[in-house]
Amino acid sequence: MSNPQARVLVNSARGATFLILLQLCSRALTFAVNQVLLRFLSPELLGISSQLELYSISVLYFARESLRVSLQRQRVDSADSHDGLSEKRSVKAMRVQEVVNLSYIAVLLGPVLAFALAVLYVRQAGPVALAVPYLCRSLVVFGVATIVELLAEPCFMVAQQQMLYRLRASAESSATFTRCVVTCATAIWASVSGQDIGVLPFALGQLGYALVLNVVYFGKIWRDSTREGYSLLPQPVSKDASDYVLSLFYRPTLTLSVNLYAQSGLKHLLTQGDSVLIALFTSLSSQGVYALASNYGSLIARMLFQPIEESSRGVFGRLLATDSGPTRKAAKDDPDVISPGSLFDADSVTADATTKSTNNGILSARSYLTTILRLYGLLSLLITAVGTTIAPLLLRYVAGPAWTSAGPVLAVYCYYIPLLALNGILEAFVSAVATPAQLRVQSAWMLAFSAGFATSGYVLLWVYDNGAKGLVAANAVNMAMRIGWSWSFVRGYLDGKGSGLRFADCLPDIRSLSLGVLVASYLAVLGQSFRGGYVDLGKTVAIGGIYGLVLLYFERAFLYDCYLMVRPPSEAQNAVSAKEDQKQS
């Protein structure tokens, strides 16, 4: 693997580590607060809070997701090394200003979406939900909090482009801590004083989150903007109408965002469709049970899979930047920060060097993908073999006896988690390399998948009345369809580049797979005699721990290769790479 590709993986690994630690801290705080809130909330109130959270997530997603993805694919070709330092800084500031300008599209979309979705929610809410105290006020506070959070989008975009992972971790962890404190304190105060304020604590907590997020982001980025010569307000960049819209928005990136918008909307409807289906076909009590099982079941997905998926989009965008994404000529960015495409300079390398760099990028991307898929496979073995038995046992002690009905749902959810992982990394690859035409094809398929999801959900929830477990099964059907399409696309893309992909390359060792089947079978039989006591929990933990250690032994060579892949290159390697670059020049 060449040094530039190695640096991309090292920076990605470092960034993913920050994001994973951020998720661990924020989820630990949220988990602690939830244990307190569960003592004060009924399943009905938890169901309504999940509906309001869906409202906020939907506004944020439709306002900013397509812009975020397109900006990750934006490529800046470097200027020649003899360009002056002042010129480099000037061009770098211009590129940052483009990002800031585009982010204001999300800021403008926010109020419109917040109002439209709030009206839709009130019209669709049932009489039980509307009878909850302070529901409308809570909805208004959620809407305001969402708009305030979008005001931080220009700073987030700059931090994302500059790979300021420490800043992001600081901002989001501080905001999450504030949300937890405000939510918990308000709920406890209401309980002690005998006040029934419904889901207002969640709304106030979300508002506190948005305010602190803005304070931390603007405090840092505002100083940087003054020093580096760009503005956090929209500013004209160029009068070239062929490349810029209204002198503000870089046309190729804006066009890509428009193409991604419809596809992102369909993806969101599929991702959050379970919340819509369960709200239509089940009671508020069932919604609360599903919300609890889903929150606990998806902890691994949000703490581990989501950060890896997010950083992987950047990795694939950088390694495969010569094949897709907006491109331009610009001065070289800060050498300490790897920006999309800064590895590929068409004006400073020969055609042979460019081809070599492209081939290295494809091989590196394939190696990265198969490594992540195999790691996910190992984790999935543990989750499906041990998690299905241990999760209901843990839930009894974590959430209390009132929530034991969520245990079977959580056990079924353990089979769904591996599908979440596989779909996330594959769609990250697709979003990084697909052309606008291919994205439109994906959108058409997603429309078909949404019809299949709705049909399976209706049959399992309404016809067979399977409740929350039926919804998990419908989600699995939806995810399997999406995985099938994405896998077909990824294989076709890599085959077209002369680097094939086999399913066997992504699987753990056969010994690991075989042992996983044996452990799962043994725990399934053993679990039939469990009564939910500490002894049963101890037996399951012991079996799972032994299986985990055996997996580490079986996969020791692969895990060592993973370490070598993300280890920072030594000074000697950097020197050799620099000599090779000089020869190519």
Side-chain angles (χ1 to χ4, degrees):
M1 188 181 301
S2 66
N3 194 54
Q5 279 77 32
R7 281 184 293 164
V8 170
L9 295 180
V10 169
N11 276 270
S12 170
R14 195 172 298 160
T17 301
F18 274 115
L19 295 180
I20 291 171
L21 290 176
L22 168 64
Q23 289 293 329
L24 284 173
C25 294
S26 64
R27 296 305 169 188
L29 282 171
T30 305
F31 180 84
V33 170
N34 283 340
Q35 304 323 300
V36 177
L37 293 177
L38 286 175
R39 304 301 190 250
F40 302 100
L41 294 178
S42 65
E44 289 78 11
L45 281 181
L46 189 60
I48 293 175
S49 71
S50 66
Q51 292 178 0
L52 294 180
E53 184 179 358
L54 172 63
Y55 159 75
S56 176
I57 291 173
S58 298
V59 174
L60 293 172
Y61 194 94
F62 286 117
R64 70 191 185 188
E65 184 64 17
S66 63
L67 285 166
R68 286 186 173 186
V69 174
S70 62
L71 286 171
Q72 282 185 319
R73 292 180 56 174
Q74 180 173 316
R75 191 171 93 244
V76 183
D77 291 333
S78 304
D80 292 334
S81 59
H82 61 262
D83 291 336
L85 180 61
S86 60
E87 182 180 349
K88 293 179 184 179
R89 288 179 174 174
S90 174
V91 176
K92 178 180 178 180
M94 184 172 70
R95 299 311 174 212
V96 175
Q97 189 64 55
E98 290 175 1
V99 170
V100 171
N101 291 349
L102 284 165
S103 68
Y104 273 92
I105 296 177
V107 176
L108 294 176
L109 286 174
V112 178
L113 290 169
F115 177 77
L117 293 181
V119 171
L120 181 63
Y121 175 80
V122 172
R123 289 183 177 180
Q124 297 296 322
V128 177
L130 293 175
V132 172
Y134 295 95
L135 176 70
C136 291
R137 295 183 187 179
S138 300
L139 180 61
V140 170
V141 175
F142 258 103
V144 172
T146 303
I147 294 171
V148 172
E149 184 174 346
L150 284 171
L151 293 176
E153 198 64 13
C155 295
F156 175 89
M157 294 289 197
V158 174
Q160 187 79 354
Q161 186 198 53
Q162 304 297 318
M163 286 190 170
L164 302 177
Y165 292 112
R166 290 181 184 271
L167 172 61
R168 181 176 172 186
S170 174
E172 295 190 18
S173 60
S174 300
T176 300
F177 177 77
T178 302
R179 177 172 58 194
C180 292
V181 170
V182 172
T183 303
C184 196
T186 307
I188 293 175
W189 169 82
S191 177
V192 171
S193 61
Q195 300 278 346
D196 186 3
I197 57 176
V199 293
L200 191 58
F202 293 95
L204 295 176
Q206 192 64 29
L207 181 59
Y209 175 92
L211 291 172
V212 172
L213 196 71
N214 275 271
V215 169
V216 178
Y217 267 133
F218 275 97
K220 166 64 176 174
I221 301 298
W222 189 275
R223 295 195 300 270
D224 290 354
S225 67
T226 303
R227 182 176 63 253
E228 297 181 13
Y230 62 88
S231 173
L232 288 177
L233 296 174
Q235 297 289 335
V237 176
S238 173
K239 296 182 179 180
D240 185 357
S242 62
D243 284 339
Y244 292 87
V245 177
L246 301 177
S247 301
L248 296 171
F249 309 117
Y250 184 56
R251 188 180 296 275
T253 305
L254 183 62
T255 302
L256 180 61
S257 299
V258 173
N259 281 288
L260 284 169
Y261 194 85
Q263 188 251 10
S264 298
L266 286 171
K267 184 185 294 185
H268 178 67
L269 290 176
L270 284 172
T271 303
Q272 301 296 333
D274 54 353
S275 302
V276 177
L277 283 179
I278 200 168
L280 290 174
F281 297 132
T282 64
S283 64
L284 281 175
S285 179
S286 295
Q287 293 178 42
V289 169
Y290 177 77
L292 183 73
S294 177
N295 284 336
Y296 285 138
S298 60
L299 276 176
I300 294 178
R302 287 177 291 185
M303 289 191 300
L304 181 62
F305 301 151
Q306 183 179 335
I308 291 177
E309 176 185 344
E310 186 173 329
S311 62
S312 295
R313 280 203 301 260
V315 170
F316 294 136
R318 289 162 174 80
L319 294 177
L320 305 172
T322 53
D323 294 310
S324 61
T327 181
R328 59 162 66 84
K329 293 181 181 179
K332 187 173 291 183
D333 284 345
D334 188 340
D336 294 329
V337 178
I338 301 177
S339 61
S342 62
L343 311 175
F344 305 101
D345 183 358
D347 291 330
S348 62
V349 296
T350 64
D352 289 341
T354 301
T355 301
K356 180 181 178 181
S357 182
T358 301
N359 291 336
N360 286 336
I362 292 169
L363 293 175
S364 297
R366 181 192 179 280
S367 175
Y368 177 86
L369 177 63
T370 54
T371 299
I372 294 295
L373 289 175
R374 186 168 175 180
L375 286 172
Y376 280 179
L378 291 173
L379 190 58
S380 298
L381 283 175
L382 276 174
I383 294 172
T384 54
V386 182
T388 52
T389 302
I390 200 173
L393 296 174
L394 286 173
L395 187 64
R396 178 187 296 270
Y397 298 105
V398 171
W403 295 91
T404 52
S405 59
V409 181
L410 187 57
V412 175
Y413 203 96
C414 289
Y415 293 107
Y416 175 57
I417 293 174
L419 298 177
L420 283 173
L422 183 57
N423 179 73
I425 190 67
L426 290 176
E427 288 196 349
F429 190 101
V430 174
S431 65
V433 303
T435 64
Q438 291 168 333
L439 290 173
R440 287 191 289 272
V441 171
Q442 185 187 24
S443 298
W445 276 104
M446 282 196 169
L447 191 61
F449 298 156
S450 64
F453 173 56
T455 302
S456 61
Y458 172 78
V459 171
L460 292 169
L461 291 174
W462 186 256
V463 177
Y464 289 101
D465 194 22
N466 284 327
K469 288 195 291 186
L471 185 57
V472 176
N475 270 321
V477 172
N478 161 42
M479 205 59 64
M481 292 187 294
R482 290 169 63 176
I483 289 170
W485 189 91
S486 297
W487 176 262
S488 176
F489 176 90
V490 172
R491 282 197 62 181
Y493 178 88
L494 292 176
D495 286 344
K497 302 298 180 182
S499 179
L501 179 66
R502 298 183 306 150
F503 186 67
D505 297 334
C506 311
L507 293 177
D509 188 282
I510 187 63
R511 296 172 297 174
S512 302
L513 294 170
S514 302
L515 186 59
V517 173
L518 291 176
V519 171
S521 302
Y522 178 71
L523 284 176
V525 174
L526 187 64
Q528 294 177 1
S529 62
F530 283 174
R531 295 293 181 266
Y534 286 107
V535 175
D536 297 333
L537 182 60
K539 290 178 181 178
T540 310
V541 171
I543 294 171
I546 294 172
Y547 178 45
L549 291 175
V550 175
L551 276 184
L552 290 177
Y553 176 76
F554 285 162
E555 303 288 344
R556 61 191 184 280
F558 165 69
L559 295 175
Y560 182 69
D561 289 341
C562 294
Y563 165 74
L564 293 179
M565 178 180 291
V566 300
R567 185 183 60 180
S570 65
E571 294 183 5
Q573 290 174 320
N574 286 329
V576 172
S577 178
K579 290 180 180 180
E580 291 179 353
D581 292 340
Q582 290 176 358
K583 291 179 180 179
Q584 292 177 356
S585 300

